[in-house]
Amino acid sequence: MSREPLRPFRDLARRAAAVLRSLRNRFRAHRPAPTSSLVHTPHPYARALALAAVTLLGAWLGLLAVGSVEVPVGPVDTRMSLRPAVSGGTEINVPPLGALELETHRAPLGLDVDISRLDPERAQILVDHPERINGLEDQITRDVRNGTLDLAVRSCVAVVAGATVLGLAVYRRPRRALAAGGLALALLASSAATAYATWNPKSVLEPRFSGLLASAPNVVGNARSIVTEFDVYQQELARLVTNVTKLYDAASTLPTYQPDPSTIRVLHVSDIHLNPAAWHIVRSLVEQYDIDVIVDSGDTMDHGTAAENGFLDAVEDLGAPYVWVRGNHDSHTTQEYLEGLDNAHVLDDGRAVTVGGLRIAGIGDPQFTPDRSVVSEGDDAERAAGRTLAAALRAAEARGEPVDIAVAHNPVAAQQTDGDVPLVLAGHIHRRETEVLDDGTRLMIEGSTGGGGLRAVEGDEPQKVMASVLYLDQESRRLQAWDSITLGGLGLTTAEVSRHLPEDAEPGAPPSPSASPSGSPPASPSPAPSPAGTPSRTPSD
C-alpha cells in the first residue's frame, strides 16, 4: 500500500505531538525552582488529563486512517466505519439519494454505512437465477454480521495503534505510549458495552431521512405497518433488492400477474405538450417493456404552429409503431406533418388500422383551442365527435373487423363509445383515471406524459410525468393488466410503478385497482372519476 494517503495523518500527528511537547516544555520553564534536592513531579491530575488527551487524539487519528472496512452485502458494496459521536446512532448514506439516520444506540461512537455501488455481476446472478432469491436474506444477514466483526477488530487495532504511536511521539517513553494504547482499548471496549446495553432494535420504526430520501415515508409507507407485517415484508425484501438492477422488471415480476412472451404490450401516452424529455422517457419504456405499439391520445403540441412541427421528428425513432389522434392543442397542420412521417399512424373520423396485432380506431379532437378567433363549441362538439367514432366502430363490427381499442383525446368524446368497444383511451385532463362505463366499456384516461409541458410550472408543484403499459391477451385482445408509471415532475427525482388488474366491477362504478407492493411502492387509490358525460377539465385545456 502506498504511504501517500497517510501523509496528512502523519503530518497532523507530528503537529499534535509538537504542540503537546511545547506545552510540556513551557510548563517546565515556568515551574518554580526546587527547594530541595528531591525532583518535583507534575500533579497527578495534570498527568492524567494529558494522557487522556493524547489517548483520545491518537485513537481518533487511528480511526480516520484505518478504522473502516469494505463489506459486500448482497448485491451491493458498502463501507462501514466508526466515528466519534456525542449521542451515537447509525447513519446509512445512499448517494446521491440522501441518508437514513437511526437512533440505534447511545454511546460516544457512531456507525456510518456508505452504500458505494451496486455490483453488476452479483446483481445479474440474482436476475438470471431467481431461485437464489430465497436465500438472499440469510446471505445479507451473514454479510452484515461478518462486516461488523471485521470492523470491530480493525477498530481495536486502529485506536490502539493510533494512541500508542502518538503517545510515543509525545512522551518518548514506551511505558507512557503503552499506557495510552491500553487506555484507548479500554475506552473502545466500554463504548461498545454501552452501545450494546442501549441497543434499540425499534429504531427502524422512526427513521430520519435527508436529501431526496426525505420523501421516502410518503413512498414506502408507515414503517410500523411494515414491522407489523414483517413476515410479508421479508418475503418481498429480496425481490425488491433484485429489482434495483432492472427498474422495469419491478412490474413484470409482481405476483399478481405474469405476462408471457405472447402478451401484447401497449404504451399509452398523452399530453406531451412539447416536452422533449418525454421522447427520452418513451424510448426507454419501449425498450425496457418490449412495447409492441405506442398509442398517443393527443395534445403532443402546445400551439399547433408549423414552427413546432420539427418536434415530431423524434416519432420515427421511438422503436415501436406510433398511433396518434389529434388533441385540442394539435392543429390540422400538425396532423398533416405527422402523416408524412415514417412509423406514424394517424387516426381520424373513426379510421381503423391494424398495428402490433391490434385493431385500433380513433378520432381527432373537433376543437382547436389555441385559435382564439373561433368560439369553442364545448362538450357538444366532443359528444358529436364521439358519436361519429361510435358509428365507425359499429360499422367495423358489422364488416367482421371488430376494433380492439378506440382512442379519443377528450374523455367526453370517448364516453360515447360505451358498448361498442372493449377499451377506449383518452387524455386531456392531465390526471390518470379509469372507469367501467354503463355498457361495459373500460375508459382509461392517461395523465400528462410531458408533465404538463410549459404548464408544469403554473401550479404550486410541478406536474408528474405519467404513462401506462397495457397488457392484452394475444387471442382475445382483452385487457389483462396494466402498469401505472409515475415519475416526479421537473427533475424526475422519484419513480413509481404499480400493477393493476381489471376486476368485475359494476357498470358505471370505478374498479378498485389491485396493486402489489413487490418491486414498487403501493399505488394510491385512483381518483374518483367524474360522472359519465361530464369529466372535469383543467382550466388550461
Side-chain angles (χ1 to χ4, degrees):
M1 179 185 296
S2 175
R3 297 183 178 180
E4 197 63 26
L6 298 180
R7 177 173 294 176
F9 300 109
R10 292 204 307 271
D11 294 342
L12 182 59
R14 291 195 186 101
R15 294 190 188 121
V19 171
L20 292 175
R21 284 198 300 270
S22 175
L23 292 175
R24 183 186 63 184
N25 294 335
R26 184 173 300 178
F27 172 78
R28 289 177 176 175
H30 291 82
R31 186 174 61 189
T35 56
S36 65
S37 59
L38 297 176
V39 178
H40 178 77
T41 58
H43 194 282
Y45 290 148
R47 294 176 60 185
L49 289 175
L51 181 62
V54 170
T55 300
L56 293 175
L57 181 58
W60 178 62
L61 292 175
L63 285 177
L64 285 180
V66 294
S68 62
V69 294
E70 302 285 344
V71 182
V73 178
V76 299
D77 292 332
T78 68
R79 182 181 182 88
M80 296 183 179
S81 59
L82 293 178
R83 54 177 168 78
V86 176
S87 58
T90 299
E91 182 171 317
I92 303 174
N93 299 301
V94 190
L97 300 180
L100 173 66
E101 298 178 11
L102 305 174
E103 294 183 359
T104 53
H105 61 278
R106 293 188 177 276
L109 283 178
L111 174 64
D112 285 344
V113 181
D114 297 324
I115 308 297
S116 54
R117 74 184 186 102
L118 177 72
D119 186 275
E121 295 182 1
R122 298 201 302 270
Q124 190 62 42
I125 290 175
L126 292 176
V127 175
D128 295 338
H129 303 280
E131 67 276 5
R132 299 191 181 186
I133 293 176
N134 293 331
L136 183 59
E137 180 187 351
D138 293 336
Q139 177 189 342
I140 291 176
T141 302
R142 289 194 302 269
D143 292 342
V144 172
R145 184 185 300 114
N146 294 337
T148 304
L149 292 176
D150 291 345
L151 179 62
V153 172
R154 177 166 292 208
S155 297
C156 289
V157 174
V159 298
V160 171
T164 301
V165 171
L166 185 60
L168 190 61
V170 172
Y171 295 110
R172 302 182 185 276
R173 297 178 183 177
R175 181 178 296 180
R176 291 286 182 87
L178 292 176
L183 180 58
L185 182 60
L187 290 174
L188 181 62
S190 62
S191 298
T194 303
Y196 179 80
T198 60
W199 178 254
N200 178 23
K202 296 182 180 180
S203 60
V204 295
L205 299 179
E206 298 178 352
R208 294 193 303 271
F209 300 91
S210 61
L212 297 179
L213 290 179
S215 61
N218 296 327
V219 176
V220 302
N222 191 312
R224 294 185 183 274
S225 64
I226 292 178
V227 175
T228 302
E229 301 176 0
F230 187 74
D231 290 339
V232 177
Y233 170 70
Q234 67 178 356
Q235 293 174 7
E236 299 296 336
L237 178 61
R239 191 186 298 273
L240 179 63
V241 172
T242 303
N243 287 338
V244 172
T245 62
K246 296 175 76 176
L247 176 61
Y248 61 91
D249 271 358
S252 63
T253 57
L254 295 176
T256 54
Y257 168 72
Q258 295 291 340
D260 57 54
S262 66
T263 301
I264 301 175
R265 294 165 169 83
V266 177
L267 177 62
H268 182 199
V269 301
S270 188
D271 296 86
I272 290 176
H273 284 292
L274 282 178
N275 185 348
W279 296 132
H280 298 286
I281 294 170
V282 170
R283 288 192 194 98
S284 177
L285 292 175
V286 167
E287 178 180 355
Q288 293 170 358
Y289 282 88
D290 194 18
I291 296 298
D292 295 297
V293 58
I294 306 164
V295 176
D296 187 341
S297 49
D299 271 7
T300 311
M301 313 300 269
D302 208 34
H303 299 285
T305 63
E308 297 173 330
N309 285 343
F311 175 75
L312 298 170
D313 291 344
V315 166
E316 296 184 326
D317 301 315
L318 293 180
Y322 179 79
V323 177
W324 180 87
V325 296
R326 187 179 66 251
N328 62 297
H329 283 264
D330 304 318
S331 65
H332 284 280
T333 300
T334 301
Q335 179 166 316
E336 291 172 2
Y337 185 86
L338 194 56
E339 287 173 340
L341 296 180
D342 294 336
N343 195 50
H345 302 269
V346 176
L347 304 181
D348 201 2
D349 299 323
R351 173 174 173 254
V353 295
T354 300
V355 184
L358 295 171
R359 188 74 174 163
I360 307 174
I363 192 167
D365 197 300
Q367 304 182 91
F368 180 54
T369 54
D371 185 358
R372 302 303 181 185
S373 65
V374 177
V375 178
S376 175
E377 299 180 41
D379 288 349
D380 290 339
E382 301 294 341
R383 293 189 185 95
R387 288 192 290 271
T388 299
L389 176 58
L393 296 174
R394 291 190 293 271
E397 178 78 24
R399 294 194 304 270
E401 300 176 344
V403 171
D404 304 308
I405 300 176
V407 190
H409 177 66
N410 196 308
V412 174
Q415 288 171 340
Q416 308 308 307
T417 65
D418 187 18
D420 297 316
V421 68
L423 177 64
V424 60
L425 307 180
H428 184 63
I429 61 176
H430 291 200
R431 65 178 179 273
R432 183 185 287 131
E433 295 183 3
T434 181
E435 176 185 7
V436 177
L437 302 175
D438 292 338
D439 291 331
T441 294
R442 179 179 292 275
L443 168 62
M444 300 188 72
I445 306 172
E446 190 54 76
S448 174
T449 310
L454 298 177
R455 293 164 176 75
V457 296
E458 290 181 352
D460 295 334
E461 296 182 359
Q463 291 187 27
K464 294 184 177 181
V465 174
M466 299 183 185
S468 295
V469 176
L470 315 181
Y471 300 96
L472 289 88
D473 182 73
Q474 187 181 48
E475 298 297 329
S476 65
R477 309 293 196 272
R478 292 304 178 98
L479 182 68
Q480 295 178 314
W482 70 93
D483 293 338
S484 298
I485 302 167
T486 305
L487 305 178
L490 295 176
L492 303 180
T493 58
T494 61
E496 302 175 24
V497 182
S498 57
R499 170 66 50 78
H500 306 264
L501 298 178
E503 295 184 357
D504 296 328
E506 292 295 329
S512 299
S514 171
S516 167
S518 172
S520 65
S524 301
S526 298
S530 304
T534 57
S536 54
R537 303 174 57 162
T538 57
S540 62
D541 293 318

